[in-house]
Amino acid sequence: MQDISIYLPGILLAYSAFLLAIASPGPNVLAVIGTSMSVNRSSGMALAIGVATGSFSWAVLTVFGLSTILAAYAEALLIIKVFGGLYLLWLAYKSFKSAASSHDIKAAELAGGLRTPFGYFKRGYIIQMTNPKAALAWIAIISLGLKDGAPLWVAAAIVFGTFALSMAVHLLYAIAFSTPIMVRLYSKARRVIQGVLGAFFAVAGLRLLMSRG
């Protein structure tokens, strides 16, 4: 029980960072929204499952990669935390910039014509795995929750917890944005949402930079 009290705040912070990161539409989210609107809900859901599976793959690769590095170089944790903190501050800047912009989100159908459900799943997976920002984001997210000397269950909790969140949120996007009214509602609240995201990323980034453990 003592271990849980030690590691739970970091795990929850990693969940929060991940959840808010996918609340801000990037290429993967826009692809899901555009497919649901332009094709149909089931195609958008297949794409969403592919994106979530890609997110899970990045999480696993990042955990094993960081664990290997830390096992060989214990002092590397400080460098990883600095890098992760700076990336979160960059996300904060991007969110604040988006909040100040008058440009709205642009969701469009994927190029290449209609696909089978598996084709949309595969396309979603490829979109996520070929997004270079995903690797940077996962380094920051894992750094928030993975303390030096943390047991294996902490990494597993972060990986499987974020996978469940990714699956739920991306499917929610596919279902909700299969109707144009949701895009209009999001557009009205976009600036407020981006402002809140910017504040969270700024706090999380500073916390990571000032962290010692």
Side-chain angles (χ1 to χ4, degrees), residues 118-203:
F118 179 73
Y120 279 107
F121 167 85
K122 184 170 66 174
R123 182 57 178 157
Y125 186 81
I126 292 172
I127 289 173
Q128 186 70 352
M129 292 304 295
T130 55
N131 181 6
K133 293 181 181 178
L136 301 177
W138 272 110
I139 290 175
I141 291 167
I142 298 298
S143 299
L144 286 170
L146 202 60
K147 294 177 177 291
D148 188 15
L152 183 61
W153 69 262
V154 176
I158 295 174
V159 169
F160 287 101
T162 52
F163 175 59
L165 288 173
S166 181
M167 189 70 74
V169 173
H170 284 99
L171 284 173
L172 182 61
Y173 274 124
I175 294 169
F177 284 88
S178 59
T179 55
I181 189 172
M182 287 304 301
V183 177
R184 293 196 296 269
L185 291 174
Y186 180 86
S187 297
K188 292 180 180 179
R190 181 186 60 83
R191 288 188 169 185
V192 174
I193 292 172
Q194 291 295 333
V196 171
L197 292 175
F200 175 86
F201 288 136
V203 171

Side-chain angles (χ1 to χ4, degrees), residues 29-115:
V29 172
L30 291 177
V32 172
I33 292 174
T35 301
S36 291
M37 291 181 61
S38 304
V39 186
N40 55 51
R41 179 179 295 179
S42 59
S43 297
M45 291 175 68
L47 188 75
I49 294 172
V51 169
T53 305
S55 184
F56 175 77
S57 298
W58 272 120
V60 172
L61 290 172
T62 305
V63 165
F64 278 105
L66 291 184
S67 297
T68 302
I69 291 172
L70 293 178
Y73 309 99
E75 64 276 9
L77 180 63
L78 177 61
I79 298 173
I80 292 169
K81 285 190 173 184
V82 170
F83 181 84
L86 292 175
Y87 181 70
L88 287 171
L89 291 179
W90 182 80
L91 288 180
Y93 163 75
K94 295 288 288 183
S95 294
F96 287 134
K97 184 178 179 182
S98 177
S101 173
S102 59
H103 296 295
D104 207 346
I105 61 171
K106 295 180 179 178
E109 183 181 352
L110 292 171
L114 296 176
R115 297 170 170 82

